[in-house]
Amino acid sequence: MSHPALPRSLAATPRLDRWVRFDDELAVTVWSGKVEIGQGIATAIAQIAAEELDVDIRRVNVVAGDTTQSPDEGYTSGSQSIEIGGMAMRQACAEVRALFVAEAARRFEVSVAALRVCDGSIGVAGTDLATSYWELAAQVDLARDASGVAQPKAAALHTVAGSSVQRRDLPAKLTGGAYVHDMALPGMVHGRVLRPPSRGARLEGLDTGTIRAMPGVVAVVVNGSFVGICAEREEQAIAALKAARAAASWRERRSLPQSTDVRDFLPAMRAERTIVGRKGDLPVAGVARRLAARYSKPYLAHASIGPSCALARMQDGHLTVWSHTQGPHRLRNQIARAMALRPADVDVVHADGAGCYGHNGADDVALDAALLAQACGRPVLMQWTREDELASSPFGSAMLVDISASLDGDGEVIGWAHEIWSHPHSSRPGSGEGVDLLAAWDIDPPFAPSKPKDVPLPGGGATRNAVPAYDFPAHEIACNLVRESPLRVSALRSLGAYANVFAIESFIDELAAAANQDPVAFRLKHLREPRARAVIETAAKAAAWTPGRQGDGIRGRGIGFARYKNTSAWCAVIAEVAVGARLEVQRVIAAVDAGEAINPDALVNQVEGGIIQAISWTLKEQVLWDSTRVSARSWDSYPILRFDEVPDIAVTVVSRPDAPPLGVGECAAGPTAAALANALYDAMGLRVRDLPLTPERIARAME
Amino acid sequence: MTLRTLRVNGIDREVTAAPDTPLLYILRNDLGLKGTRFGCGEGQCGACTVILDGRAVPSCDLPLWSAEGHEITTVEGIGREGALHPVQQAFIDVQAAQCGYCCDGIVMAAVALLDRVRDPSDEAIVAALERHLCRCGAHTRILRAIRVAAASIAESAAP
């Protein structure tokens, strides 16, 4: 049965009782498939439900990402949790409210229009007649499909959605245990896995006898090249892991490129070239000038502060895994396949983890935990090490972008070509035919991973944001997809948009400079879309951008802009920098238009975080390697931004309460990178096209 | 394994563990104080910070034997839901977190700083967080929260 009028997730799970239930004690439970990963979605979902049902938000209990009860909403990714999950919840609650109001109208023999809902009580206006959701719960059968007929409230009536409600998960997190890492079960043991030192390394030998004899060791599980340890106490598991690491011998391949420079190795690899976007014909006549430039971005690590963790229990043939996964239903099926269990015999229950910025180790560690729980017959809290987190999680793909533009005699862009080299940007578990979990490739017999494939446009992986937002008369976008990657790659916040926007927005600045025009004015000249213009103008005004002002050899300012995915939030970022021994970011001003803001402060928080993380990527981060192994293994070998490097940040939200809400988790990444590179150029006249903008890179550019 | 006595959050607690066990695991697994978090195990990220005799220190590389005889304070010892420490309250008022994983260690560093310096400069606050990492990018809010906490402590101390 199809429900064309319903939001995507509600169409997939149309039964209303899968979304909403009125509980005893005047509470409401709502089920969501979109999980809390540090972005505040649990609070936003509660706001949406409270608003649409007209109940106090304190009555709303959100259960998310539990395969025993929550709807399957795929992955919590792509800045889509409000756009998709939130809008499904809004429609589901509107339907539920309408059914209850209709039942109350029948009971009181009044028209629906005469009824008012206030904190769950449904009353006839101007009378004492009243009932409630809870009183009517037995009469209104929610075991029915959403109709698509009920209308959510008009934006003007919103009081809870649209307000900066405080995050509901923070008090617990600021006073003690609140993460999957902090869970405990009776009889639980502590798990560690000895990860192969490099991708594809095979275990040649390990004397497990001495490790089994160590204090507290409950089990040493060797299955092919998978080595897991369970111990009574955590420090005993750590000691056993250390001993196993020293004792194990591995067969490794020298499989990594000789050069760690993206410009060297990426174009040399086998690629499939496709034209992914074309508008008009690139000009052959009337071209006064043609410019071209090549930009690169290295592999990046997720580098969460809390290494991945999972708790698993095998009881009477049923496996339960508590996990900070982004996709509990997909993970359930993948674990079932890897362990030859029926999906019905596996449940995955979401539990909060440390910050998640894409496909990290969360799913991998869940299978580790499950394998160990099965092997040792006791619940296992499986904790990755810092080294595991940095070196074994998937990385964001390295990318290379060539852009060329044709200009007419007035400096107007009349043709634009954008060509990408990149690996695929998503290898999430369950996205292909294989088993995409680390341990599954190490056990004997091993499972094959899915064939690498990229996310197609309009969302795009490598091609995300490759189509310029500017109104150029002609463009051609090509992608050279390098399917095989020397390092394990998958989704990292904003996928290819980070590199594509960095390249586009750097190049636009180069064109503006070539045309001797102000970067803001040059952008606006090529942009008709009012919402795009508005964020640029708002940021420029907030930053007191003075056209034509030049940097002074030390200080400079730069702008970057994009509409995320070309379909989501508009964001403009202006950076002010000072260049000394390093590139110091002094102030960042941003403007964002994300349509209706469900929680304006949480929205600003996400954009601030996106900016700071992108500053870290852009100034400091790159995954390096020797011929065999990744060298990112500690905070020494993979440094990230520190408190003394963080600028003042001011984010302005362009208010559009009547426009559909758009996700903001990823919109600032690309614009921030470009704003920094453009500010460096403004300050020093140095154009650095290869990330990160380290002191070494800047020094080299000065030579 | 030996029996040791630790003074944690003002109470003497007996624990039995190997003397070189990092304090972090004693706090989390023996004493159930899970606001002290594992981040790197090498004292490089600050997620496991506790206050030891008034100083903020990482607990992941601090052996049990060396913690004995000292006054140890964890995030559970400074406040709880409904009775938050001004620093915890300020983190909530400012919404100075995204995932929150780094926050308890930072809260402890801030408490140690504010116990020592009533009205710290911005530079002093940044210096106190020198050993702390945050990946979500909550830095500017965290710095603001600590300034708000300092002001609120000063206000409540005023005659």
Side-chain angles (χ1 to χ4, degrees):
Chain A
M1 192 169 152
S2 72
H3 298 270
L6 296 176
R8 190 200 298 180
S9 294
L10 193 55
T13 307
R15 277 257 306 246
L16 293 172
D17 61 351
R18 297 289 309 279
W19 295 86
V20 182
R21 181 184 68 204
F22 295 100
D23 301 319
D24 296 341
E25 293 165 0
L26 309 182
V28 188
T29 294
V30 299
W31 290 276
S32 170
K34 298 297 185 185
V35 297
E36 181 63 51
I37 55 174
Q39 83 285 45
I41 190 66
T43 305
I45 292 286
Q47 286 179 261
I48 289 168
E51 181 68 67
E52 226 43 61
L53 292 170
D54 267 317
V55 296
D56 190 307
I57 191 168
R58 284 168 295 191
R59 299 191 194 282
V60 181
N61 171 36
V62 180
V63 177
D66 181 340
T67 59
T68 65
Q69 45 184 329
S70 308
D72 179 359
E73 292 194 75
Y75 280 101
T76 298
S77 66
S79 299
Q80 299 182 108
S81 294
I82 295 282
E83 292 175 26
I84 292 177
M87 293 308 96
M89 184 61 70
R90 174 170 281 175
Q91 182 66 31
C93 290
E95 302 249 346
V96 167
R97 176 197 163 104
L99 291 172
F100 276 84
V101 169
E103 179 62 26
R106 261 190 299 279
R107 171 183 283 209
F108 297 130
E109 297 178 337
V110 296
S111 75
V112 164
L115 291 165
R116 304 282 179 273
V117 185
C118 179
D119 192 17
S121 145
I122 307 168
V124 181
T127 73
D128 294 340
L129 293 174
T131 178
S132 75
Y133 288 128
W134 296 276
E135 235 177 78
L136 294 178
Q139 278 81 59
V140 181
D141 185 11
L142 293 182
R144 68 170 87 187
D145 286 1
S147 65
V149 173
Q151 280 293 320
K153 284 186 191 173
L157 300 175
H158 287 172
T159 56
V160 185
S163 70
S164 293
V165 171
Q166 290 188 340
R167 282 265 299 273
R168 26 178 52 204
D169 54 331
L170 289 187
K173 288 175 178 173
L174 284 161
T175 52
Y179 301 88
V180 66
H181 308 66
D182 307 325
M183 294 179 73
L185 288 172
M188 185 180 87
V189 294
H190 293 270
R192 291 293 186 278
V193 166
L194 177 62
R195 297 249 90 91
S198 57
R199 197 158 165 235
R202 293 293 122 200
L203 184 68
E204 288 212 305
L206 173 64
D207 172 15
T208 58
T210 53
I211 296 155
R212 285 202 172 91
M214 290 178 72
V217 172
V218 172
V220 179
V221 180
V222 179
N223 179 351
S225 292
F226 176 83
V227 181
I229 292 158
C230 297
E232 296 287 354
R233 294 181 58 89
E234 191 161 13
E235 66 275 14
Q236 293 167 335
I238 293 167
L241 173 66
K242 197 175 164 198
R245 180 166 292 138
S249 58
W250 300 88
R251 191 172 70 252
E252 296 183 70
R253 292 178 300 145
R254 293 176 165 271
S255 62
L256 300 181
Q258 277 200 315
S259 168
T260 56
D261 189 328
V262 181
R263 285 171 178 262
D264 292 337
F265 70 82
L266 199 56
M269 295 183 72
R270 202 163 65 87
E272 297 154 43
R273 185 176 190 273
T274 44
I275 304 292
V276 295
R278 184 179 271 143
K279 177 182 172 190
D281 291 316
L282 293 181
V284 283
V287 178
R289 203 165 170 194
R290 196 168 170 279
L291 280 90
R294 168 168 284 193
Y295 303 87
S296 75
K297 173 237 154 184
Y299 296 99
L300 293 173
H302 294 263
S304 184
I305 300 300
S308 296
C309 182
L311 172 63
R313 179 185 64 198
M314 182 71 101
Q315 198 170 47
D316 306 324
H318 192 91
L319 175 70
T320 305
V321 183
W322 288 266
S323 161
H324 52 106
T325 176
Q326 293 173 272
H329 289 81
R330 306 286 169 84
L331 178 59
R332 177 208 356 222
N333 293 337
Q334 289 268 296
I335 288 176
R337 274 184 66 192
M339 296 177 66
L341 298 168
R342 294 182 311 147
D345 292 333
V346 180
D347 275 304
V348 174
V349 180
H350 184 266
D352 289 0
C356 168
Y357 322 105
H359 177 193
N360 55 18
D363 298 303
D364 296 321
V365 75
L367 177 58
D368 294 343
L371 289 169
L372 294 186
Q374 185 184 49
C376 82
R378 289 167 64 178
V380 177
L381 185 68
M382 172 62 217
Q383 172 70 63
W384 271 20
T385 64
R386 167 55 41 204
E387 183 175 350
D388 296 340
E389 190 68 21
L390 283 170
S392 297
S393 299
F395 300 109
S397 176
M399 283 177 72
L400 197 65
V401 179
D402 277 355
I403 305 185
S404 62
S406 308
L407 299 134
D408 67 11
D410 300 327
E412 294 262 353
V413 178
I414 53 173
W416 178 275
H418 181 124
E419 179 139 6
I420 301 159
W421 283 259
S422 174
H423 305 300
H425 281 257
S426 182
S427 60
R428 288 186 184 277
S431 57
E433 74 295 346
V435 176
D436 302 296
L437 296 169
L438 211 47
W441 309 333
D442 291 330
I443 56 178
D444 186 33
F447 287 86
S450 299
K451 188 174 179 297
K453 61 170 198 258
D454 205 20
V455 185
L457 285 169
T463 53
R464 182 166 291 182
N465 273 94
V467 177
Y470 298 99
D471 300 300
F472 304 138
H475 70 230
E476 184 174 282
I477 317 297
C479 182
N480 299 274
L481 189 66
V482 182
R483 285 192 196 273
E484 297 305 324
S485 170
L487 306 184
R488 184 186 182 201
V489 290
S490 193
L492 174 63
R493 198 172 189 175
S494 85
L495 311 189
Y498 173 68
N500 285 320
V501 172
F502 164 67
I504 291 170
E505 289 293 297
S506 292
F507 194 64
I508 282 280
D509 252 48
E510 297 198 44
L511 295 181
N516 202 20
Q517 291 183 31
D518 178 71
V520 168
F522 189 78
R523 281 172 172 79
L524 292 173
K525 196 164 95 175
H526 290 94
L527 270 176
R528 280 193 298 269
E529 166 61 46
R531 294 175 74 175
R533 296 177 64 89
V535 291
I536 291 177
E537 285 164 346
T538 303
K541 185 162 177 247
W545 183 281
T546 321
R549 200 198 73 190
Q550 296 272 306
D552 61 3
I554 296 170
R555 276 177 294 276
R557 55 160 197 201
I559 185 168
F561 153 81
R563 180 181 190 193
Y564 186 53
K565 291 192 265 191
N566 297 102
T567 55
S568 191
W570 287 265
C571 180
V573 175
I574 292 173
E576 296 173 356
V577 306
V579 190
R582 60 184 175 87
L583 179 61
E584 184 194 331
V585 189
Q586 297 185 316
R587 193 164 78 115
V588 174
I589 296 97
V592 60
D593 172 357
E596 175 194 358
I598 303 297
N599 187 320
D601 182 63
L603 187 158
V604 168
N605 198 355
Q606 277 292 294
V607 176
E608 288 170 356
I611 289 169
I612 291 173
Q613 192 170 83
I615 294 173
S616 185
W617 292 351
T618 305
L619 298 190
K620 306 187 79 155
E621 297 184 33
Q622 55 185 327
V623 176
L624 300 173
W625 55 85
D626 61 21
S627 61
T628 316
R629 297 179 180 181
V630 164
S631 53
R633 291 181 185 267
S634 74
W635 293 121
D636 284 331
S637 49
Y638 194 85
I640 63 171
L641 204 70
R642 309 191 75 90
F643 271 90
D644 63 357
E645 298 170 307
V646 171
D648 290 333
I649 297 179
V651 176
T652 305
V653 178
V654 178
S655 177
R656 310 266 184 202
D658 292 312
L662 302 167
V664 294
E666 301 164 289
C667 66
T672 301
L676 295 176
N678 293 337
L680 171 63
Y681 175 81
D682 185 54
M684 313 264 302
L686 286 179
R687 178 57 63 181
V688 180
R689 303 187 182 93
D690 301 296
L691 298 176
L693 308 176
T694 55
E696 300 75 41
R697 279 256 163 73
I698 294 169
R700 209 183 307 155
M702 286 164 83
E703 282 164 10
Chain B
M1 302 275 263
T2 55
L3 181 73
R4 303 261 168 171
T5 304
L6 285 182
R7 191 159 175 81
V8 182
N9 299 331
I11 300 166
D12 285 329
R13 307 284 299 264
E14 287 192 340
V15 293
T16 304
D20 58 352
T21 303
L23 177 62
L24 171 65
Y25 303 114
I26 303 287
L27 294 173
R28 290 180 56 78
N29 302 327
D30 294 275
L31 305 181
L33 300 169
K34 301 203 174 189
T36 309
R37 309 191 198 288
F38 168 72
C40 67
E42 296 167 340
Q44 292 188 328
C45 73
C48 64
T49 300
V50 297
I51 299 176
L52 189 96
D53 296 339
R55 276 190 325 123
V57 296
S59 62
C60 69
D61 55 1
L62 189 78
L64 170 59
W65 62 261
S66 76
E68 208 172 9
H70 297 280
E71 197 75 40
I72 300 158
T73 309
T74 72
V75 78
E76 292 87 353
I78 60 163
R80 57 188 158 73
E81 282 191 63
L84 297 173
H85 185 280
V87 174
Q88 291 167 313
Q89 186 62 54
F91 269 64
I92 287 170
D93 292 344
V94 175
Q95 295 284 286
Q98 284 184 31
C99 81
Y101 197 91
C102 68
C103 288
D104 289 5
I106 292 172
V107 164
M108 297 313 285
V111 169
L113 171 71
L114 297 180
D115 281 349
R116 210 172 58 243
V117 188
R118 239 327 127 68
D119 185 20
S121 63
D122 289 355
E123 292 72 23
I125 295 173
V126 168
L129 302 186
E130 194 186 2
R131 298 172 78 171
H132 293 263
L133 295 176
C134 164
R135 183 55 161 170
C136 297
H139 304 69
T140 54
R141 285 172 180 250
I142 288 170
L143 296 173
R144 200 186 327 148
I146 297 172
R147 288 194 289 267
V148 166
S152 125
I153 292 168
E155 196 174 301
S156 62

